[in-house]
Amino acid sequence: LSHYIDMLDSVAIKKDFIFFLKEKLGFNDNEVYINPNIVLKNKDKTLIEKFLKQKEEGIPLDYILNSSKFYESEFFVDSKVLIPRPETEIMVDYVNNHFSSSIKVLDAGTGSGCIGISIALKNPNFHVYGSDRSAEALNVAFINKNNLNVDNFSLVHADWLSSFKKESFDLIVSNPPYIADHDSHLENLKHEPNGALVAKDNGLGDIRLIVEQSTEVLKRGGMLILEHGYQQQEEVENILKMNHFLEIANLKDFQELPRITLGTLE
């Protein structure tokens, strides 16, 4: 094992490789760091070489392990869905701290289901729905629903809010695509699904559509919570105001950048 570790130049890849050895292959610290005489099984050699090839290609560790930690749970992920980000936990925290009575919640564009499932697990009296236009993403969310035994989380194949009746929900949350198609950040995200990242209209197309549709699907006095790029705060607020949302507020991420905007439908 030390031979493989020593030949890695990048500190980040070494860290990921050691995590892989311990979490996926079950090696302990003594075997990883001290014992130079370990004889590897052929299957372990194959998995190690596959891992190193994937890392060389830049594939994120979460996809290699098919596992990502979000909020208080471990989620199955693959390249059909985005890898959950810590900033998105702020949205879940807000919901868990500001709602208590039994409500109907929609996680629009649910992907892996991490937002909706995390809310449902903390609030068993909520009725939470996760919608996605990607059938492949819904398959991933279904795996997580079953793995985490979430009874109050239901999945719906829908293009944003188009399949829901008027005044169906008390709360809609969403982490939609919000990156412009020419954004330089996309180079670092090339292994994640483009359709879950990129939106038309300089990244605002899906946000605008969700806001407009939510005026029909939300109950009067219902709340919409959206994640967006930190530079889009003012534009997102304007979209909400133009669509009759009041009490608009913003939540900052861990770098104190405006990342989440919410409003109440008048």
Side-chain angles (χ1 to χ4, degrees), residues 62 67-75 77 83-99 112-124 126 148 251 254 260:
D62 297 58
S67 179
S68 193
K69 289 180 180 175
F70 180 81
Y71 210 66
E72 297 176 357
S73 302
E74 196 92 27
F75 287 85
V77 293
I83 295 168
R85 266 53 174 195
E87 291 82 3
T88 307
E89 295 181 358
I90 296 166
M91 182 188 294
V92 177
D93 255 338
Y94 182 88
V95 173
N96 290 342
N97 292 329
H98 288 81
F99 294 86
S112 65
C114 64
I115 297 173
I117 287 173
S118 297
I119 291 170
L121 285 170
K122 273 291 187 180
N123 303 278
F126 288 11
L148 295 166
L251 308 177
F254 303 119
I260 293 162

Side-chain angles (χ1 to χ4, degrees), residues 115-180:
I115 297 173
I117 287 173
S118 297
I119 291 170
L121 285 170
K122 273 291 187 180
N123 303 278
N125 58 326
F126 288 11
H127 302 283
V128 185
Y129 296 80
S131 70
D132 210 292
R133 58 192 172 196
S134 165
E136 292 177 324
L138 286 174
N139 288 337
V140 174
F142 187 74
I143 290 169
N144 287 315
K145 169 183 163 65
N146 287 342
N147 286 350
L148 295 166
N149 298 311
V150 198
D151 293 330
N152 58 326
F153 179 71
S154 304
L155 290 164
V156 183
H157 192 194
D159 190 358
W160 296 124
L161 316 183
S162 59
S163 299
F164 299 103
K165 295 178 181 178
K166 287 187 176 184
E167 300 188 17
S168 294
F169 296 101
D170 303 282
L171 170 66
I172 297 172
V173 297
S174 184
N175 178 18
Y178 54 76
I179 301 177

Side-chain angles (χ1 to χ4, degrees), residues 146-238:
N146 287 342
N147 286 350
L148 295 166
N149 298 311
V150 198
D151 293 330
N152 58 326
F153 179 71
S154 304
L155 290 164
V156 183
H157 192 194
D159 190 358
W160 296 124
L161 316 183
S162 59
S163 299
F164 299 103
K165 295 178 181 178
K166 287 187 176 184
E167 300 188 17
S168 294
F169 296 101
D170 303 282
L171 170 66
I172 297 172
V173 297
S174 184
N175 178 18
Y178 54 76
I179 301 177
D181 57 11
H182 55 269
D183 195 297
S184 59
H185 291 97
L186 289 171
E187 177 59 29
N188 297 323
L189 300 168
K190 61 186 177 184
H191 295 285
E192 299 192 54
N194 190 266
L197 292 166
V198 174
K200 296 176 183 177
D201 189 16
N202 205 32
L204 292 166
D206 285 312
I207 287 175
R208 184 172 280 108
L209 182 60
I210 292 166
V211 174
E212 289 170 355
Q213 291 179 343
S214 69
T215 62
E216 294 290 321
V217 175
L218 269 177
K219 296 175 184 177
R220 302 300 99 181
M223 182 178 284
L224 174 63
I225 308 178
L226 293 164
E227 183 170 333
H228 52 76
Y230 69 88
Q231 76 282 15
Q232 296 171 321
Q233 175 193 359
E234 190 174 333
E235 291 164 302
V236 172
E237 286 184 6
N238 287 336

